């Protein structure tokens, strides 16, 4: 009895490295999953649920957090550095924090079109964890894990007053636009400078076809590689844009146009994966010596050693898989590092690869909304060594700001087209030169109709010439999402380099020759295309290539080095600064969110005092010392020489910070001190020192000792709090001062309104 042939293999077809095994949630059932345990109207009050229900919710939310890159039972390094748990060694507090953090992540992912507020979280978590809610919520918000994107609800939360400082962003690609929106939401003044006459950078959707019947075609980044936990999937959900799963079926055709035998396809697919496994073993044996060896040379030697793919068709089929690998890395195998080429595998997004209906410009267009962008401003120089940054564009126009974020592609940095003053640190320059920046080109064609089959998204073609194995080796059909019969032929590896110099007409004839060689013998007529476009990304001076890879002599650490800021003034983002997700659109987007958070933290550390002092004067408030004196006329808590004021809107949070004032002078009694507090002019012999302190610590001071000396000892030795004069207090605590003052005014207005209603 004859058995049916095995199905065509799917491993290795997709334009990605081999995926590592990891746990992810399924985007297709995600909404239903969250609906089951969160509901679709008023959020359930977790405090009223049974222990079994809470445990089930906790496990579900932990899986969601895991898919977003959070460890199940530990903090991220960034969380630990941010001090989200206090004290840091408290294991119970850490575990409670992780549960709260996971709950917040799951709550927002349940409805990414909404803006999740802290008060909504407090409705679903016991009040005893309010301080952990604040800690987790603030971290997730500021680091771009929640409340990001393009939904109207998120945009509505942008601050009207941009009082935190100014940032120039070089480049309006995914990284630059993601950072710009985040910084605007944080209250920064932002200006984006873009060298092209359009946004998007290497994400470029154009129109092809006849007037009135155009199709959208992605000539740059096109595939959303892995939809699980992908932030671009979040943007698509916010905009209500459907995603089309790229179907696994990918038939392969010989150079003469015939079908590749399925059993041979399976066999060579196994050989290809075995070669990669043996290459991985080889680098383990070689250790550090593998750093100087290319993946290509290792595969060639292993192929000879094992006598793999000796027959012509086997060799051609193996070359197709190797071309697909070069496509995934935008580089020749002879350039890829044997030691580190796949260093990002553990972090790959899981799930289906997808096309976005209508093209990726829809994401770019939404991200541009409300973001100030100046086009045709090619940056030539960035000076960052003084008290501000200067960005010079072609033609000599100069822009100034507090900080600058450079999202220029790695290829531009390699070319030296942007001059930095002072010169970038040697370590960063070396990383720029070590990392590889490869090339992928496309021939995009729109036909009168779909002749290759409505059910096919991809098909591949083998080559007789090994040096041209990447030339038109893979075709993508975009007819399901573009609005027309669009077919794109990919050019990778060495062929992508020579394609830059080829005649477009000759290239089109070659592509049509391949297509007619495949479909003609089957009785399918291949018409001339209505319109054709050929990309030349390597010749484009504003990118000089396609995307990054780990070249021989480089490693994943170089991505981290490239991401480091210089002097707290100059920052970098882009796919080549993202070690976990390089060479991807979502990697670029995530790097923009990362740098927005980094800029915020840097501003708080280096600039906040200056900016907030300006804000106080701009709003015509009293001088900082007068504001402090006014606040402490009515302290929330007072004993001995200590007075405390807190934000009334955070009255239930024991961890909420407030201000403490210590009065030094010659007083015989508490009564005498209180009398002095009623006076706006302090006596000559009296002076004040201040500190930032939590409500919980203030109450501990009150109960631990009856004398001020003991309280000061507790304050300085156990709490580690340093006392400051009003100058340092205004510089470091100006945001808190403004917050408390504003909250008190708001409370007083509310009380006055209530009083009027009662007596009216």
């Amino acid at each position: 009895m004859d058995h049916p042939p095995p199905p065509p293999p799917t491993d290795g077809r997709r334009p990605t490295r081999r995926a590592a095994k990891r746990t992810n949630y399924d985007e297709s059932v995600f909404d239903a999953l969250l609906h089951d345990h969160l509901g679709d109207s008023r959020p359930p009050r977790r405090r009223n649920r049974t222990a079994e229900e809470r445990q089930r919710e906790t496990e579900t939310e932990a899986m969601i957090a895991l898919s977003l890159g959070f460890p199940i039972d530990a903090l991220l390094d960034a969380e630990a550095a941010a001090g989200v748990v206090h004290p840091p060694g408290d294991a119970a507090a850490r575990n409670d924090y992780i549960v709260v953090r996971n709950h917040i992540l799951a709550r927002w992912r349940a409805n990414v079109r909404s803006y999740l507020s802290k008060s909504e979280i407090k409705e679903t978590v016991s009040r005893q964890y309010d301080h952990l809610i604040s800690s987790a919520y603030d971290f997730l918000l500021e680091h771009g894990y929640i409340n990001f994107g393009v939904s109207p609800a998120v945009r509505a939360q942008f601050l009207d007053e941009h009082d935190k400082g100014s940032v120039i962003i070089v480049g309006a690609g995914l990284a630059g636009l993601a950072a710009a929106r985040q910084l605007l939401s944080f209250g920064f003044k932002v200006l984006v400078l873009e060298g092209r006459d359009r946004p998007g950078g290497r994400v470029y959707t154009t129109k092809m076809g006849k007037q009135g019947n155009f199709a959208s075609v992605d000539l740059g980044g096109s595939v959303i590689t892995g939809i699980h936990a992908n932030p671009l999937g979040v943007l698509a959900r916010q905009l209500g844009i459907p995603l089309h799963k790229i179907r696994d079926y990918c038939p392969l055709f010989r150079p003469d146009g015939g079908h590749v035998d399925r059993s041979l396809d399976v066999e060579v697919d196994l050989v290809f994966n075995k070669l990669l496994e043996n290459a991985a073993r080889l680098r383990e044996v070689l250790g550090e010596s593998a750093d100087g060896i290319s993946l290509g040379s290792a595969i060639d030697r292993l192929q000879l050693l094992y006598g793999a793919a000796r027959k012509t068709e086997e060799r051609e089929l193996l070359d197709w898989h190797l071309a697909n690998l070069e496509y995934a890395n935008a580089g020749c195998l002879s350039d890829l590092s044997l030691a580190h080429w796949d260093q990002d595998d553990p972090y790959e997004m899981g799930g289906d690869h997808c096309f976005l209906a209508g093209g990726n410009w829809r994401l770019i267009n939404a991200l541009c909304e409300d973001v100030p962008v100046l086009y045709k401003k090619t940056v030539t120089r960035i000076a960052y060594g003084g008290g501000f940054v200067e960005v010079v564009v072609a033609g000599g126009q100069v822009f100034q700001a507090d900080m600058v974020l450079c999202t220029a592609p790695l290829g531009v940095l390699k070319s030296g087209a942007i001059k930095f003053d002072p010169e970038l640190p040697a370590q960063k320059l070396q990383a720029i030169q070590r990392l590889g920046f490869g090339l992928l080109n496309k021939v995009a064609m729109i036909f009168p109709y779909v002749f290759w089959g409505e059910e096919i998204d991809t098909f591949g073609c083998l080559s007789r010439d090994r040096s041209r194995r990447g030339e038109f080796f893979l075709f993508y059909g975009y007819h399901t999402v573009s609005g027309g019969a669009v077919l794109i032929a990919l050019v990778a590896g060495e062929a992508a380099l020579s394609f830059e110099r080829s005649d477009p007409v000759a290239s089109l004839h070659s592509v049509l020759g391949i297509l007619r060689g495949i479909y003609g013998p089957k009785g399918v007529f291949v018409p001339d295309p209505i319109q054709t476009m050929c990309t030349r990304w390597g010749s484009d001076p504003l990118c000089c290539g396609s995307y990054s890879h780990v070249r021989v002599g480089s490693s994943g650490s170089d991505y981290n080095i490239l991401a480091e800021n210089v002097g707290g003034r100059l920052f970098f983002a882009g796919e080549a600064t993202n070690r976990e997700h390089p060479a991807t659109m979502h990697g670029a987007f995530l790097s923009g969110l990362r740098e927005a958070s980094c800029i915020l933290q840097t501003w708080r550390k280096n600039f906040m005092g200056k900016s907030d002092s300006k804000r106080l004067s701009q709003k015509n408030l009293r001088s900082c010392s007068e504001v402090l004196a006014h606040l402490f006329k009515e302290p929330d808590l007072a004993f001995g020489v200590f007075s405390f004021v807190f934000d009334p809107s955070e009255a239930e949070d024991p961890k909420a910070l407030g201000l403490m004032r210590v009065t030094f002078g010659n007083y015989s009694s508490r009564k005498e001190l209180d009398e002095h507090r009623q006076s706006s002019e302090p006596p000559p012999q009296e002076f004040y020192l201040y500190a930032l302190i939590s409500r919980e610590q203030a109450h501990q001071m009150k109960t631990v000792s009856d004398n001020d000396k003991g309280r000061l000892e507790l304050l300085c030795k156990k709490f580690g709090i340093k006392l400051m004069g009003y100058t340092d207090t205004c510089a470091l605590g100006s945001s808190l001062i403004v917050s408390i003052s504003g909250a008190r005014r708001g409370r007083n207005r509310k009380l006055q309104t209530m009083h009027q209603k009662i007596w009216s």
Side-chain angles (χ1 to χ4, degrees):
M1 178 179 176
D2 293 332
H3 294 281
T10 59
D11 290 345
R13 292 282 196 269
R14 290 175 175 172
T16 60
R17 305 163 181 82
R18 291 168 28 184
K21 293 181 179 180
R22 59 187 300 222
T23 305
N24 279 293
Y25 67 88
D26 187 347
E27 187 80 13
S28 64
V29 298
F30 185 47
D31 290 331
L33 173 71
L34 287 165
H35 177 276
D36 287 344
H37 89 277
L38 292 177
D40 59 357
S41 56
R42 184 174 176 81
R45 292 188 178 273
R46 171 172 293 196
R47 63 193 69 155
N48 294 332
R49 293 204 160 196
T50 66
E52 183 179 352
E53 288 173 328
R54 287 198 300 269
Q55 181 62 30
R56 187 165 60 249
E57 289 174 0
T58 299
E59 292 172 357
T60 301
E61 292 165 356
M63 289 299 100
I64 294 170
L66 179 66
S67 73
L68 295 169
F70 288 85
I72 287 180
D73 56 356
L75 302 178
L76 292 175
D77 290 343
E79 288 178 300
V84 295
V85 176
H86 185 78
D90 189 335
R94 182 197 64 206
N95 292 338
D96 289 340
Y97 168 87
I98 291 171
V99 172
V100 171
R101 175 200 70 194
N102 295 349
H103 178 64
I104 296 173
L105 287 167
R107 287 282 304 152
W108 188 66
R109 286 278 168 160
N111 183 8
V112 295
R113 293 186 180 93
S114 69
Y115 186 92
L116 181 65
S117 67
K118 197 179 294 185
S119 61
E120 289 178 273
I121 298 300
K122 289 183 177 182
E123 289 181 358
T124 63
V125 178
S126 175
R127 183 171 295 174
Q128 71 185 92
Y129 301 112
D130 278 1
H131 62 290
L132 294 179
I133 292 174
S134 293
S135 183
Y137 182 92
D138 291 345
F139 176 86
L140 296 174
L141 180 68
E142 293 178 1
H143 286 76
Y145 290 104
I146 61 172
N147 294 338
F148 67 84
V150 294
S151 72
V154 171
R155 172 62 186 90
Q157 298 299 317
F158 280 20
L159 297 179
D160 293 329
E161 191 174 308
H162 299 149
D163 54 6
K164 280 191 172 64
S166 54
V167 182
I168 292 173
I169 297 177
V170 179
L174 279 170
L177 294 175
R181 293 188 72 84
Q182 283 291 91
L183 290 170
L184 287 170
S185 72
F186 294 156
F188 284 88
K189 293 182 284 291
V190 174
L191 178 64
V192 182
L193 302 177
E194 169 56 51
R196 305 179 191 274
D197 59 0
R198 60 167 180 85
R202 287 167 282 168
V203 178
Y204 176 36
T205 307
T206 190
K207 292 181 178 179
M208 294 181 65
K210 295 181 179 179
Q211 186 71 34
N213 191 27
F214 287 117
S216 298
V217 183
D218 282 313
L219 297 180
S222 57
V223 181
I224 297 179
T225 50
I227 196 59
H228 291 170
N230 196 312
L232 302 186
V234 170
L235 301 186
R237 290 172 67 192
Q238 290 176 332
L239 295 169
I241 302 175
L243 297 171
H244 170 74
K245 173 195 172 185
I246 300 174
R247 289 165 283 196
D248 290 333
Y249 180 54
C250 178
L252 297 182
F253 299 95
R254 300 191 305 267
D256 62 6
H259 271 283
V260 171
D261 180 75
R262 286 187 175 183
S263 60
L264 179 63
D265 194 1
V266 172
E267 180 183 334
V268 175
D269 184 67
L270 292 174
V271 169
F272 168 70
N273 284 290
K274 198 68 176 178
L275 286 172
L276 290 182
E277 290 173 6
N278 287 331
R281 293 193 185 99
L282 177 61
R283 70 182 173 194
E284 291 177 5
V285 173
L286 293 174
E288 293 183 1
S289 300
D291 290 346
I293 300 174
S294 73
L295 176 64
S297 63
I299 289 176
D300 288 345
R301 295 196 179 197
L302 290 168
Q303 188 179 349
L304 288 173
L305 177 64
Y306 292 105
R310 290 181 175 179
K311 296 179 181 179
T312 299
E313 192 170 359
E314 292 174 343
R315 178 189 59 77
E316 291 172 352
L317 189 51
L318 179 61
D319 277 342
W320 186 92
H321 284 285
L322 297 177
N324 198 33
L325 193 60
E326 290 178 320
Y327 163 35
N329 292 275
C332 301
L333 297 188
S334 58
D335 290 332
L336 298 184
S337 166
L338 170 64
H340 306 290
W341 72 276
D342 57 350
Q343 59 87 35
D344 58 312
D345 267 5
Y347 311 102
E348 281 187 352
M349 298 287 180
D352 297 323
H353 292 200
C354 298
F355 294 139
L356 189 82
N360 293 320
W361 74 272
R362 300 179 72 181
L363 302 183
I364 298 297
N365 186 57
L367 288 168
C368 282
E369 187 176 351
D370 300 317
V371 175
V373 183
L374 296 182
Y375 296 103
K376 297 183 180 180
K377 301 293 182 183
T378 302
V379 172
T380 59
R381 179 175 175 270
I382 297 176
Y384 62 95
F388 53 88
V389 298
E390 272 191 355
V391 179
V392 183
V393 300
Q397 191 174 7
V398 180
F399 298 86
Q400 293 183 347
D402 294 322
M403 291 171 277
V404 59
L405 171 61
C406 179
T407 71
L410 176 60
V412 173
L413 297 179
K414 282 178 171 291
S415 74
I418 300 177
K419 305 300 180 185
F420 293 91
D421 183 16
E423 184 65 273
L424 295 176
Q427 186 182 28
K428 189 178 288 287
L429 289 173
Q430 292 162 5
I432 290 171
Q433 295 309 313
R434 283 193 298 262
L435 278 171
F437 196 67
L439 192 58
L440 173 73
N441 276 312
K442 300 180 178 182
V443 177
M445 302 160 285
I446 182 167
F447 292 92
Y449 53 85
V450 177
F451 61 83
W452 55 91
E454 294 281 355
E455 75 286 354
I456 294 177
D457 290 327
T458 59
F459 60 91
C461 303
L462 278 55
S463 174
R464 293 187 176 93
D465 186 348
R466 190 173 197 186
S467 66
R468 300 174 65 183
R469 66 190 178 197
E471 185 178 67
F472 318 130
F473 82 102
L474 184 64
F475 288 78
Y476 272 108
Y478 282 79
H479 52 286
T480 57
V481 293
S482 66
V486 174
L487 191 64
I488 289 182
L490 301 185
V491 190
E494 292 180 23
L497 300 172
S498 59
F499 184 80
E500 294 273 325
R501 303 181 297 274
S502 66
D503 178 9
V505 175
S507 296
L508 176 60
H509 286 165
S510 296
V511 173
L512 291 177
I514 292 172
L515 293 173
R516 286 165 179 160
I518 293 172
Y519 291 100
K522 300 176 178 61
V524 177
F525 176 71
V526 177
D528 288 335
I530 297 170
Q531 186 182 359
T532 304
M533 288 187 178
C534 298
T535 66
R536 298 283 189 272
W537 289 107
S539 305
D540 186 334
L542 295 179
C543 60
C544 303
S546 299
Y547 41 92
S548 65
H549 57 255
V550 183
R551 195 166 60 181
V552 175
S554 183
S555 71
S557 298
D558 286 332
Y559 288 114
N560 290 339
I561 294 172
L562 195 54
E564 293 174 354
N565 75 77
V566 184
R569 293 279 184 184
L570 172 61
F571 298 79
F572 291 86
E575 56 86 12
T577 71
N578 193 325
R579 180 174 186 169
E580 291 79 16
H581 306 287
T584 62
M585 292 188 291
H586 60 263
F589 184 87
L590 289 170
S591 75
L593 299 184
R594 179 200 69 212
E595 288 310 299
S597 174
C598 186
I599 288 170
L600 176 62
Q601 305 308 320
T602 302
W603 174 82
R604 283 177 175 162
K605 180 180 178 181
N606 299 339
F607 300 95
M608 185 172 72
K610 298 176 183 178
S611 298
D612 278 344
S613 294
K614 291 178 181 178
R615 175 166 69 162
L616 286 169
S617 60
Q618 288 169 354
K619 298 181 78 173
N620 296 318
L621 295 174
R622 304 175 186 86
S623 68
C624 187
S625 59
E626 291 176 331
V627 173
L628 285 173
H630 180 76
L631 287 175
F632 281 99
K633 279 187 175 181
E634 297 181 10
D636 296 307
L637 180 65
F639 48 85
V641 296
F642 303 92
S643 304
F644 305 84
V645 292
F646 299 97
D647 187 334
S649 66
E650 296 183 333
E652 301 298 323
D653 186 1
K655 302 292 184 180
L657 285 180
L659 292 166
M660 176 186 70
R661 185 175 77 174
V662 186
T663 304
F664 294 87
N666 297 318
Y667 301 106
S668 58
S669 66
R670 171 73 198 190
K671 180 179 179 182
E672 182 181 353
L673 176 56
D674 288 338
E675 290 174 352
H676 283 302
R677 284 200 175 110
Q678 303 303 315
S679 172
S680 60
E681 293 292 330
Q685 71 272 20
E686 182 180 274
F687 69 95
Y688 306 122
L689 292 179
Y690 302 86
L692 308 184
I693 191 170
S694 72
R695 192 184 298 270
E696 185 178 58
Q697 289 171 328
H699 284 287
Q700 287 183 30
M701 286 180 62
K702 182 178 181 180
T703 57
V704 75
S705 176
D706 293 328
N707 63 82
D708 292 338
K709 183 178 180 181
R711 290 164 177 157
L712 278 172
E713 188 174 351
L714 175 71
L715 181 74
C716 299
K717 292 186 177 180
K718 184 175 180 180
F719 295 161
I721 293 176
K722 294 183 178 180
L723 298 177
M724 303 175 289
Y726 79 83
T727 302
D728 288 342
T729 303
C730 290
L732 297 175
S734 54
S735 289
L736 183 61
I737 294 170
V738 171
S739 176
I740 294 174
S741 180
R744 280 194 167 191
R745 288 197 304 273
R747 180 187 62 182
N748 291 339
R749 283 195 298 268
K750 185 176 180 180
L751 291 174
Q752 289 173 2
T753 302
M754 291 176 61
H755 180 79
Q756 291 170 359
K757 287 182 178 180
I758 291 171
W759 294 102
S760 61

